[in-house]
Amino acid sequence: MALTAITLLCIAALLPFPGLGDSEHSGELGLVLVKVNVTNKFTNKNVSYSTTVAKGMPMFGVLNKLQDTQSFSFTYSISKSYGIFLESVNGLAGSTEKHTYWELLSKKGKTITRLNVGIGCYQPRENEIFIMNFTTWG
């Protein structure tokens, strides 16, 4: 029940952003520069992206803008219980059989923190790097 309420709140947070990155909505709340690093634990590959979006925009909107404007792609699914779930980045998907997934991290200064919410709820801040790290569990 609590997770359903949280999911609904996160989805409701998307409502003020009908374009999820359209330039006509970007000036309404001020702008923030968002830096995104895509890393792969297994290949030591690291690709960086950046874009400017409306302050308060969820990462889902940021990722959609990156997908529309840069050589970046992602896929997702929507769970009725948990909201938006990141499935793949730049063609690389997590696997239950291989125990791989996209770990979501935030780097502020020298501190890296694992996020406790997904791309539908997380709102990046100025001077922060959002990290999507392809890794394994177990």
Side-chain angles (χ1 to χ4, degrees):
M1 179 80 168
L3 286 176
T4 303
I6 292 170
T7 300
L8 291 175
L9 288 173
C10 289
I11 290 171
L14 295 174
L15 294 177
F17 306 102
L20 289 176
D22 288 350
S23 58
E24 68 181 0
H25 296 94
S26 63
E28 292 177 6
L29 299 173
L31 298 176
V32 62
L33 175 65
V34 178
K35 297 178 183 178
V36 177
N37 282 358
V38 178
T39 61
N40 185 329
K41 171 186 174 179
F42 307 105
T43 64
N44 291 322
K45 189 174 182 181
N46 184 5
V47 182
S48 296
Y49 303 90
S50 63
T51 189
T52 303
V53 297
K55 185 176 181 179
M57 179 179 286
M59 275 310 298
F60 181 69
V62 174
L63 298 179
N64 273 292
K65 182 173 182 184
L66 287 176
Q67 186 164 254
D68 290 345
T69 61
Q70 299 183 29
S71 60
F72 171 84
S73 65
F74 78 107
T75 62
Y76 62 93
S77 60
I78 299 178
S79 163
K80 289 182 180 181
S81 299
Y82 300 106
I84 301 171
F85 179 76
L86 181 65
E87 292 183 340
S88 74
V89 176
N90 293 336
L92 182 59
S95 165
T96 304
E97 295 80 30
K98 295 180 181 178
H99 295 240
T100 56
Y101 73 107
W102 284 98
E103 177 183 37
L104 304 178
L105 306 165
S106 169
K107 182 176 182 182
K108 297 174 189 160
K110 295 181 180 181
T111 304
I112 297 177
T113 307
R114 180 178 290 133
L115 301 181
N116 60 3
V117 297
I119 61 173
C121 294
Y122 189 72
Q123 297 176 351
R125 295 178 195 91
E126 194 74 46
N127 300 318
E128 167 189 19
I129 300 173
F130 181 79
I131 302 169
M132 293 185 288
N133 181 41
F134 191 69
T135 189
T136 187
W137 77 82

